[in-house]
Amino acid sequence: MTNSPLNEEGLRRWRLVLGGEAEGSCGKLSGQMAEMDQALAALYDADGKNGLGKSSERRGGRGGSSPSVARWLGDIRKYFPTSVVQVMQRDALERLDLRELLLQPEMLESAHADVHLVANLIALSGVIPASTKETARMVVRKVVDELLKKLEEPMRSAVTGALDRSQRNRRPRHSEIDWNRTIRANLRHWQEEYRTIVPQQLIGYGRKARSPQREVVLCIDQSGSMAASVVYSSIFGAVMASLPAVATKMVVFDTNIVDLTDQLDDPVELLFGVQLGGGTDINGAVGYCQSIIREPRNTILVLISDLYEGGVEANLLRRAASLVESGVQFITLLALSDEGAPSYDRALAAKLAALGVPSFACTPNAFPDLMAAAIRKEDINAWAATHGLVATPKGQS
């Protein structure tokens, strides 16, 4: 008997319900159904070989957290309705042993709190019991504070050093002293006995401008695969927002767009305002960013996305061309993390490169220098090559 389209659809659904063991009788899945099956298997397969479920060899909560968890949490929001997602998230909370971790502060103190654990907690924030939310915030705060200690000063130094300092003054405050020029101007006052220079004349930078010299817009894809990038972007966004000479805005998106600029003063609150996972509408997000740009020639737009567009690609490319033509420095980061270049849409990256929008993955350590180069309006492709970062060539597909 030949299967009708209806019967074939029914078999695929039964295969999805029954799992991999039913492949012989129900047939093999492909396309979106195969991806849905993979997401289900990651949580419910009994053998625990998928990296998400429990197994006899896995201890939850004490080792490094898996980067795949946040990505999986994003996938289920993409493929399943909200009611099903809530059930799967609750099951994940139990199967990942995160509930035990969250309920016992002493375990949190011994856990390896890293960027990926933060991403997982943010993704699960909607189902974490109210009584344990403060514990989750404690973990996030711990990681955020550690990252700030590591990244704040390089970011602050790189950005402030790149800003326009052409105006000088001879009576600078301590924070305004240009030490390089001051030392050069006072070399003749070298004191051999003390092996130091006693400066007779201080040279300082010009007084800080009343209005920002640069506008930076961070436009961040919050799909599950970009989880680590969201965490790092929030840290850097908060640092830049604290600099009077830089007007920083932060926008996150999936199929919805959320402007988190008002929360940049507190990276932890900002991160809990992120909703990891879901679809992707890059065109809509870039369109929103375009609408909030006031001075295109003084604006740096950083799109952080793997470029898998769920919106209208042709409209995105038109917007990108318009932004570049208006003078905006438009840069695409395929990732802002230590994990290297992710899977990304190479064809779209090449089309953007042809419009003057370079695309490459960037590490957190390199990001301050990238922003400094953008502020100085350097050739970003040349900067990327100098730092060993491979930008997508024009015309590559």
Side-chain angles (χ1 to χ4, degrees):
M1 177 179 177
T2 303
N3 288 328
S4 68
L6 181 60
N7 286 337
E8 290 180 0
E9 176 66 17
L11 285 171
R12 284 196 292 269
R13 288 179 177 275
W14 275 111
R15 163 62 183 81
L16 197 61
V17 170
L18 296 173
E21 293 181 359
E23 187 170 297
S25 56
C26 297
K28 192 172 183 178
L29 296 176
S30 61
Q32 181 170 308
M33 272 203 166
E35 295 172 1
M36 293 170 68
D37 180 61
Q38 186 176 6
L40 289 166
L43 178 59
Y44 297 115
D45 267 3
D47 59 15
K49 295 177 180 178
N50 45 67
L52 291 174
K54 291 180 182 178
S55 72
S56 59
E57 300 178 356
R58 185 175 179 272
R59 290 273 189 182
R62 296 188 182 273
S65 53
S66 171
S68 65
V69 176
R71 183 176 297 112
W72 174 83
L73 288 165
D75 286 344
I76 64 173
R77 290 186 66 231
K78 178 179 179 182
Y79 297 124
F80 300 100
T82 302
S83 58
V84 176
V85 167
Q86 290 174 345
V87 172
M88 294 179 72
Q89 284 185 332
R90 292 190 186 98
D91 287 348
L93 201 61
E94 297 290 351
R95 288 171 172 260
L96 293 170
D97 290 336
L98 285 178
R99 186 177 297 279
E100 183 183 3
L101 177 68
L102 292 172
L103 288 172
Q104 300 186 38
E106 63 274 13
M107 287 186 67
L108 282 172
E109 293 176 4
S110 63
H112 178 65
D114 61 7
V115 169
H116 300 300
L117 179 58
V118 168
N120 294 336
L121 293 177
I122 293 167
L124 287 165
S125 61
V127 293
I128 293 176
S131 60
T132 62
K133 280 189 179 291
E134 284 307 309
T135 309
R137 285 179 184 275
M138 183 183 76
V139 177
V140 174
R141 174 70 67 184
K142 175 182 177 182
V143 176
V144 166
D145 287 347
E146 289 175 355
L147 289 174
L148 278 171
K149 286 180 183 178
K150 176 183 177 182
L151 301 172
E152 181 174 15
E153 185 51 39
M155 187 76 207
R156 189 178 296 276
S157 298
V159 170
T160 54
L163 293 168
D164 182 13
R165 293 175 168 184
S166 59
Q167 296 181 358
R168 307 286 167 173
N169 71 74
R170 299 290 174 172
R171 300 181 62 185
R173 302 184 183 95
H174 184 270
S175 62
E176 297 171 341
I177 296 173
D178 182 341
W179 287 107
N180 288 333
R181 289 191 54 160
T182 295
I183 290 171
R184 286 198 298 269
N186 289 275
L187 286 174
R188 63 182 181 278
H189 302 302
W190 169 260
Q191 303 294 310
E192 182 63 35
E193 180 180 355
Y194 300 103
R195 300 194 62 77
T196 190
I197 291 172
V198 179
Q200 302 298 311
Q201 177 64 59
L202 297 177
I203 300 175
Y205 303 117
R207 302 294 184 194
K208 291 180 179 178
R210 291 179 180 270
S211 59
Q213 296 180 35
R214 289 289 187 275
E215 181 176 348
V216 176
V217 181
L218 300 176
C219 184
I220 306 163
D221 183 343
Q222 60 178 355
S223 60
S225 61
M226 304 299 294
S229 299
V230 171
V231 177
Y232 282 118
S233 300
S234 300
I235 301 294
F236 286 125
V239 173
M240 286 191 290
S242 70
L243 304 177
V246 181
T248 305
K249 297 180 174 67
M250 180 167 167
V251 176
V252 297
F253 68 94
D254 44 32
T255 51
N256 297 309
I257 300 162
V258 182
D259 192 328
L260 296 175
T261 302
D262 291 342
Q263 299 179 40
L264 279 169
D265 60 332
D266 188 339
V268 174
E269 289 301 317
L270 186 151
L271 283 168
F272 276 98
V274 170
Q275 181 66 65
L276 288 172
T280 309
D281 184 0
I282 304 172
N283 170 57
V286 171
Y288 175 80
C289 293
Q290 188 176 25
S291 73
I292 62 175
I293 290 174
R294 298 290 173 259
E295 297 183 31
R297 296 194 177 278
N298 282 326
T299 297
I300 303 163
L301 172 58
V302 183
L303 171 64
I304 303 175
S305 173
D306 54 17
L307 296 179
Y308 287 115
E309 172 65 305
V312 183
E313 181 181 301
N315 288 350
L316 170 62
L317 294 171
R318 279 194 290 271
R319 289 189 192 279
S322 176
L323 284 161
V324 172
E325 186 177 355
S326 70
V328 172
Q329 289 175 278
F330 192 169
I331 303 165
T332 295
L333 299 185
L334 306 167
L336 178 55
S337 70
D338 291 308
E339 298 165 14
S343 169
Y344 67 97
D345 189 327
R346 295 178 179 274
L348 181 52
K351 292 173 185 176
L352 287 170
L355 297 173
V357 182
S359 301
F360 52 89
C362 182
T363 64
N365 288 338
F367 186 73
D369 285 340
L370 168 62
M371 294 310 301
I375 287 170
R376 292 190 296 264
K377 299 189 176 182
E378 295 179 5
D379 182 332
I380 298 302
N381 282 306
W383 176 90
T386 300
H387 286 74
L389 304 174
V390 181
T392 301
K394 299 176 183 180
Q396 176 179 309
S397 60

